[in-house]
Amino acid sequence: MIDTIQYGKNDSLRDEIKSYWSGRAATFDLSPGHEIFSEDEREAWHALILKHLGHGEGRKALDLASGTGVISHLMDDLGFQVTGMDWSETMLALAREKAKSRRRSIRFFVGDAENTMEPDESADVIITRHLVWTLVDPQASFAEWFRVLKPGGRLLIVDGDFVNTGWREKLVKKLAAGLESIGLVKPDQPRKPADPENTFNSILSRVYFSKGARAGDVAALLRATGFEPVAIDQELQAIHRAQAKNFSLLKGILRGLQHRYAVCAVKPGDNSVTPD
């Protein structure tokens, strides 16, 4: 595993990450796998959340790197009192507008997921989607989240390894790219901004999980932080099947082949809620 990276040496990297995702904000919700595109997908997400976090019942939930608020809305559906935090004001402006249009009482504010500044033991649950692979210092981040959670509180991480690919995934990706290049298949994300300077790969090469955020490595760091129990859930097929309907055939198959997972970690204590 890569040595922990010190913040002082990576302020510019963190600024680059913030700038990159701010630039993606305008088209973020247009991409399958970001916004929810069907009731089947919404129900699949609800089932995953209920499985690991249970019903909200007014409990306080912190959605870290909330972006345009997709996960925040899913949590609000289930009765959580949701606060979304993101360090991109551009993303948050869209999130607030979305919540207003849907008449949701979700609070969104600018903050750093790696240093939340939230009070000790103030959240019942913390949820993140596609955040952990971008972290500069996951050990420090996990310690921060541990501090913010109440005893018995739960952390749900939904993420993936977007670096390492198996032979089947490589084959399908190559076929999809080939068919797109000759015009037989339309790209699934035609509105995704161009990245002529290859900013995404530059950022990826310098984060902690530059070699890929494998579920076992994430779980090991969580246990080292003090979370127990820690459970890995790779049964995300219902979500992937629903998302695949908005992809081309090959891209839909690719989604199911990727190393995507949920990790649920509990802060030891007596106030835990038993999930459904």
Side-chain angles (χ1 to χ4, degrees):
M1 182 58 66
I2 307 168
D3 291 335
T4 299
I5 304 171
Q6 298 301 312
Y7 283 129
K9 298 180 180 179
N10 286 277
D11 289 340
S12 62
L13 173 56
R14 289 158 59 81
D15 288 340
E16 286 180 50
I17 295 171
K18 177 179 179 180
S19 177
Y20 176 81
W21 288 109
S22 292
R24 292 286 307 277
T27 58
F28 187 83
D29 283 349
L30 299 176
S31 299
H34 289 175
E35 180 56 281
I36 307 299
F37 281 82
S38 69
E39 285 306 309
D40 285 346
E41 184 179 355
R42 189 180 309 280
E43 290 175 6
W45 275 106
H46 284 163
L48 178 70
I49 294 167
L50 289 170
K51 178 180 180 180
H52 295 290
L53 302 180
H55 287 279
E57 299 178 342
R59 288 183 293 146
K60 293 182 178 180
L62 185 59
D63 178 13
L64 294 178
S66 56
T68 63
V70 177
I71 300 301
S72 294
H73 282 263
L74 292 170
M75 298 292 283
D76 185 69
D77 291 343
L78 297 175
F80 288 92
Q81 182 182 334
V82 188
T83 295
M85 178 187 295
D86 201 284
W87 62 3
S88 168
E89 183 57 57
T90 311
M91 285 280 192
L92 290 175
L94 295 171
R96 294 186 187 105
E97 183 60 34
K98 185 189 297 184
K100 181 180 178 181
S101 68
R102 296 179 183 177
R103 299 181 180 180
R104 302 295 186 97
S105 57
I106 304 171
R107 175 178 172 243
F108 292 102
F109 72 99
V110 175
D112 183 354
E114 299 188 54
N115 184 24
T116 68
M117 305 297 289
E118 291 291 282
D120 291 354
E121 300 183 358
S122 57
D124 294 291
V125 303
I126 293 175
I127 188 167
T128 77
R129 181 181 69 162
H130 300 169
L131 165 64
V132 167
W133 74 268
T134 72
L135 293 174
V136 174
D137 188 343
Q139 283 186 308
S141 300
F142 294 166
E144 169 72 354
W145 305 348
F146 189 92
R147 177 189 69 78
V148 172
L149 279 171
K150 297 176 182 179
R154 289 175 174 262
L155 166 66
L156 181 60
I157 292 169
V158 181
D159 225 290
D161 178 357
F162 307 116
V163 178
N164 299 293
T165 56
W167 69 267
R168 290 181 299 175
E169 187 178 343
K170 289 178 181 177
L171 176 61
V172 173
K173 187 179 292 187
K174 187 174 181 179
L175 284 172
L179 292 175
E180 285 183 9
S181 68
I182 60 177
L184 291 181
V185 175
K186 293 183 179 180
D188 291 308
Q189 297 178 330
R191 301 179 184 88
K192 183 176 179 180
D195 188 13
E197 297 182 2
N198 207 18
T199 303
F200 179 87
N201 286 329
S202 174
I203 290 171
L204 179 59
S205 70
R206 289 176 286 153
V207 296
Y208 183 94
F209 287 114
S210 62
K211 297 186 184 301
R214 306 297 291 183
D217 292 335
V218 173
L221 284 175
L222 289 167
R223 292 190 182 98
T225 303
F227 286 98
E228 193 63 45
V230 177
I232 296 171
D233 183 358
Q234 291 183 259
E235 296 180 5
L236 275 61
Q237 295 91 336
I239 293 173
H240 297 157
R241 282 195 300 269
Q243 291 175 342
K245 296 175 183 177
N246 297 290
F247 290 110
S248 65
L249 176 61
L250 290 175
K251 289 290 184 68
I253 293 172
L254 183 63
R255 178 57 56 113
L257 294 174
Q258 292 169 331
H259 180 70
R260 293 172 179 263
Y261 52 83
V263 179
C264 184
V266 181
K267 178 175 179 176
D270 298 329
N271 298 324
S272 61
V273 172
T274 303
D276 291 3

